[in-house]
Amino acid sequence: MTEEEIIKLLNKTYPNMDKLEKCDDQYSYYDCENNKYLIEIKSRDRYYDPWLIQRDKFVSNYDKSIETGKEFIYLTESVSYTHLRAHETLR
């Protein structure tokens, strides 16, 4: 899924939450936000260790969350091994 698709899905899944908006700044350390959350999205076509985050991104997002009073969420989404193998087989 793309970041945009994930944001759209989150907005649909949580209709009572204020709408998440994609960041306008392409160099921002986080991908979307609303009045309560800053969210960094990692979506890969391969396995992505959910415990990995770049230290500078974490520090920047943590500082921004303190500054704005928002919660920082690090969201990972990766396809399953079976799904990945199916795509490789189709190539």
Side-chain angles (χ1 to χ4, degrees), residues 9-20:
L9 180 61
L10 287 169
N11 283 327
K12 182 178 178 183
T13 303
Y14 301 100
N16 294 328
M17 176 179 70
D18 285 342
K19 185 178 178 186
L20 292 167

Side-chain angles (χ1 to χ4, degrees), residues 49-85:
D49 186 342
W51 292 102
L52 291 179
I53 183 172
Q54 294 172 312
R55 184 172 175 11
D56 58 335
K57 276 191 173 188
F58 176 80
V59 170
S60 177
N61 284 323
Y62 177 79
D63 290 346
K64 185 74 171 177
S65 71
I66 297 297
E67 175 187 315
T68 61
K70 297 179 181 184
E71 295 182 47
F72 170 55
I73 297 174
Y74 183 69
L75 180 88
T76 61
E77 183 266 347
S78 61
V79 296
S80 71
Y81 177 77
T82 304
H83 183 83
L84 182 60
R85 294 295 300 158

Side-chain angles (χ1 to χ4, degrees), residues 11-58:
N11 283 327
K12 182 178 178 183
T13 303
Y14 301 100
N16 294 328
M17 176 179 70
D18 285 342
K19 185 178 178 186
L20 292 167
E21 299 287 342
K22 184 162 174 55
C23 290
D24 293 331
D25 180 2
Q26 68 178 5
Y27 300 108
S28 172
Y29 281 129
Y30 58 93
D31 298 305
C32 64
E33 67 179 317
N34 65 12
N35 69 334
K36 188 173 180 177
Y37 302 107
L38 300 174
I39 302 176
E40 167 67 11
I41 300 170
K42 290 295 178 200
S43 180
R44 301 286 193 253
D45 287 339
R46 59 180 169 77
Y47 175 75
Y48 189 83
D49 186 342
W51 292 102
L52 291 179
I53 183 172
Q54 294 172 312
R55 184 172 175 11
D56 58 335
K57 276 191 173 188
F58 176 80

Side-chain angles (χ1 to χ4, degrees), residues 1-16:
M1 295 179 84
T2 66
E3 290 174 359
E4 290 82 7
E5 290 170 330
I6 292 170
I7 293 167
K8 191 174 186 178
L9 180 61
L10 287 169
N11 283 327
K12 182 178 178 183
T13 303
Y14 301 100
N16 294 328

